[in-house]
Amino acid sequence: MAKTVAAKLVEILIQAGVKRVHGLVGDSLNGIVDEIRNSKDIEWIHYRHEEAAAFAAGAEAQLTGKLAVCAGSCGPGNMHLINGLYDAHKSNAPVLAIAAHIPSEQVGTSYFQETRPESLFRECSYYCETIASARQMPRVLQIAMQHAIGQNGVAVISLSGDVAMEKMENEELDHPLFVSRPAIRPADEELQKLAQFINEAKKVTLLCGAGCRDAHDELLAFAGKIKSPIVHALRGKEHVQYDNPYDVGMTGLIGISSGYHAVEESDLLLMLGTDFPYKEWFPSKAKIIQIDIRPERLGRRCKLDLGLTGDVKETIKSLLPFVEEVTDIAFLEKCQQRYKENRKNLMGHAQMVSGKAIHPEYLTRILSEQAADNAIFTADVGTPTVWAARYVDMKKGRKLIGSFNHGSMASAMPQAIGAQVAFPERQVISLSGDGGFAMLMGDILTIYQYDLPVKIIVYNNSSLGFVAMEMKVIGMPPFGTDLKNPDFAKMAQAIGIRGIRVEEAEGVEAAIAAALAHPGPVLVDVVVNQAELSMPPKIDFEQAKGFGIYMLKQTLNGDGKEVWDTISSNFLGK
């Protein structure tokens, strides 16, 4: 019997292993949503905002490595998906987006809610096509899914509601989704050339990113043989930091000085599975070699002495026989000692100070200590990401995701939703900035509706903190960064979610313990120190000059209290 396009679409999604569709209903999606309603093998997760649905789908895809799906109705509905899809695409998350369209006979007439989905989504996808007729099914859908899973990114299909209800006969191309993971490594001649660089170098540093996923054992064997310190990019933290004696921290603006110096003082920097974008943090004199599974990424951040295409795990396994055992451990020990001192200093900042404002470092340390060994952390951009990078201990099994490539506000809570529905038995903790949380605050109702046991920790400093710091660094008094916040805990309680408010440092440990022990969702509203600075690992003259100018301006303008609060919070008694 002939099936509708909608019925076949849902059937193919189920065959591909898709468990849920994240979205917001609308009349142009009715055919598809009704098929999901009638199925026992796939569910519809209803959001208050399509952007949250896209963030959630991206989180599910990142954590599972499998295809995730989101959907939006025609016009404004699917347009709201764009920001979350940009994030998924830049995070290499295999996501299929279904962008419903206006009635097919009205396309091109400036009809109500008409947009151009193929143009809108082209820049945030590897594949974006319209199914204008039942005769294109199932081929276009399967090509889209193959792009998403094969290239680890976003694919978009657009179809009108009336097309979704058309009957279709064309099933001869119906086939399962092909998930191929080939072993890719450089040729032996290239590996020998790489080995020559390594064998001739005196101080080799490894800079590791998300491409080191599943290569932990190989990475440690490699570092152990060449006695190299390992520096991680933010997205590499969860894959390389745990159980790693060669780890010397992170580099970049939110990194620590030991990571920066390990890179700067090397004579050979080997970039493994990272597309680290900040040119200011690359070494000034070292040779640089990059290994990446995506050849188009080689050399786009800095000048390379060698660029090789390969999977990090397979490349290291094949490279090991070609490199010589190193006995001189002076550089490694120097980097390790500096890291040890950095960690001691960082933990000194993360202490409970009675009667003083709550340090966000202390809050994050307590979260890390009390969280489950396999907890999933999501972090908003800005200061929550800084504190997560520095104070969340990535034990084996823990995960940390955020909008680390796209840099969007408001990602943490919707990503936590996607993580929780994909892993209902695991502990999911959202490290939310007050600005980020407020931006997509409506989807706390999604957490309430599905009774998801997400723990939302709001870093409430009544400010867009990282933006304010950026202004201070260039000598500009913060403007437009202040936030007049409600009592978020009371708001959560009014909704029907447990809310806990913490205003004093003495209450942090008990509040976090209570939140993590609660079987349902919890929002912990923690009033943290607004004057806390997330200091970068290196400060150049212009930054120091700018910050000094800001402090002078504030003093001359009569705001000496803010200057004193900043000095006392960040430089005195720590």
Side-chain angles (χ1 to χ4, degrees), residues 185-441:
R185 69 169 182 86
D188 283 353
E189 310 88 76
E190 294 178 313
L191 290 174
Q192 289 171 348
K193 188 175 182 180
L194 170 59
Q196 184 177 352
F197 274 98
I198 295 171
N199 293 336
E200 292 176 354
K202 301 298 182 183
K203 296 182 289 185
V204 181
T205 293
L206 308 182
L207 176 57
C208 301
C212 293
R213 181 174 185 167
D214 300 324
H216 188 270
D217 292 345
E218 289 77 12
L219 192 62
L220 264 61
F222 181 43
K225 189 170 186 179
I226 66 172
K227 305 302 185 288
S228 169
I230 296 177
V231 177
H232 60 263
L234 180 54
R235 293 189 66 217
K237 178 179 171 73
E238 68 178 72
H239 306 301
V240 303
Q241 184 194 37
Y242 67 90
D243 300 334
N244 184 353
Y246 308 103
D247 178 54
V248 296
M250 195 172 95
T251 188
L253 181 63
I254 64 174
I256 57 178
S257 63
S258 56
Y260 163 72
H261 285 292
V263 170
E264 177 61 28
E265 295 173 11
S266 67
D267 55 24
L268 177 63
L269 177 67
L270 186 54
M271 298 170 62
L272 300 176
T274 180
D275 196 30
F276 188 75
Y278 308 108
K279 64 180 182 179
E280 298 84 359
W281 302 91
F282 282 100
S284 55
K285 298 178 181 179
K287 294 178 180 178
I288 303 177
I289 295 173
Q290 183 179 0
I291 298 172
D292 203 292
I293 195 71
R294 309 292 283 265
E296 72 273 15
R297 293 177 177 172
L298 298 176
R300 71 178 183 179
R301 304 303 187 194
C302 61
K303 182 180 178 181
L304 297 180
D305 293 273
L306 183 65
L308 299 177
T309 301
D311 172 81
V312 171
K313 181 175 182 176
E314 294 300 325
T315 299
I316 291 177
K317 285 169 61 177
S318 302
L319 175 65
L320 272 172
F322 295 107
V323 297
E324 299 170 357
E325 184 89 32
V326 173
T327 56
D328 184 355
I329 61 173
F331 179 58
L332 173 61
E333 287 186 330
K334 180 181 179 182
C335 294
Q336 289 173 322
Q337 181 59 34
R338 185 180 280 130
Y339 178 60
K340 183 178 179 180
E341 293 169 359
N342 276 186
R343 292 306 312 172
K344 182 179 179 180
N345 290 337
L346 284 172
M347 296 310 288
H349 287 231
Q351 302 301 314
M352 192 271 286
V353 181
S354 181
K356 295 286 184 72
I358 300 169
H359 293 311
E361 303 100 317
Y362 170 63
L363 167 62
T364 313
R365 176 177 71 83
I366 295 301
L367 275 168
S368 180
E369 291 174 354
Q370 294 193 10
D373 286 352
N374 68 341
I376 299 170
F377 295 87
T378 64
D380 269 331
V381 296
T383 51
T385 290
V386 177
W387 310 134
R390 295 178 181 176
Y391 293 100
V392 173
D393 183 22
M394 295 312 296
K395 300 176 182 178
K396 184 178 181 179
R398 282 186 174 178
K399 297 293 182 182
L400 172 65
I401 61 173
S403 188
F404 300 148
N405 284 352
H406 185 45
S408 174
M409 285 182 64
S411 67
M413 184 177 68
Q415 286 180 327
I417 295 173
Q420 195 73 83
V421 296
F423 297 97
E425 302 304 318
R426 289 177 68 172
Q427 194 178 77
V428 178
I429 303 170
S430 172
L431 311 183
S432 297
D434 48 359
F437 172 69
M439 184 175 282
L440 284 177
M441 192 162 58

Side-chain angles (χ1 to χ4, degrees), residues 46-66:
H46 168 59
Y47 291 78
R48 267 46 176 195
H49 197 296
E50 291 91 348
E51 183 179 347
F55 272 126
E60 178 186 344
Q62 287 183 67
L63 292 166
T64 65
K66 298 178 181 179

Side-chain angles (χ1 to χ4, degrees), residues 367 370-372 375-379 412-417 419-420 424-432 437 444 447 451-459 497-498 500 511-525:
L367 275 168
Q370 294 193 10
I376 299 170
F377 295 87
T378 64
M413 184 177 68
Q415 286 180 327
I417 295 173
Q420 195 73 83
E425 302 304 318
R426 289 177 68 172
Q427 194 178 77
V428 178
I429 303 170
S430 172
L431 311 183
S432 297
F437 172 69
I444 193 174
I447 293 174
D451 196 28
L452 301 174
V454 172
K455 316 307 179 191
I456 304 168
I457 313 300
V458 179
Y459 287 68
I497 291 174
R498 182 173 182 184
I500 302 173
I512 297 304
L516 297 181
H518 185 69
V522 183
L523 184 149
V524 185
D525 183 8

Side-chain angles (χ1 to χ4, degrees), residues 133-147:
S133 165
R135 293 189 298 274
Q136 294 173 271
M137 276 285 288
R139 184 166 52 177
V140 169
L141 173 61
Q142 292 179 319
I143 292 171
M145 293 194 303
Q146 205 66 58
H147 271 78

Side-chain angles (χ1 to χ4, degrees), residues 144-163:
M145 293 194 303
Q146 205 66 58
H147 271 78
I149 198 72
Q151 294 186 258
N152 284 320
V154 171
V156 182
I157 58 165
S158 171
L159 76 166
S160 298
D162 59 292
V163 173

Side-chain angles (χ1 to χ4, degrees), residues 146 149-150 178-182:
Q146 205 66 58
I149 198 72
F178 297 110
V179 182
S180 177
R181 298 292 184 213

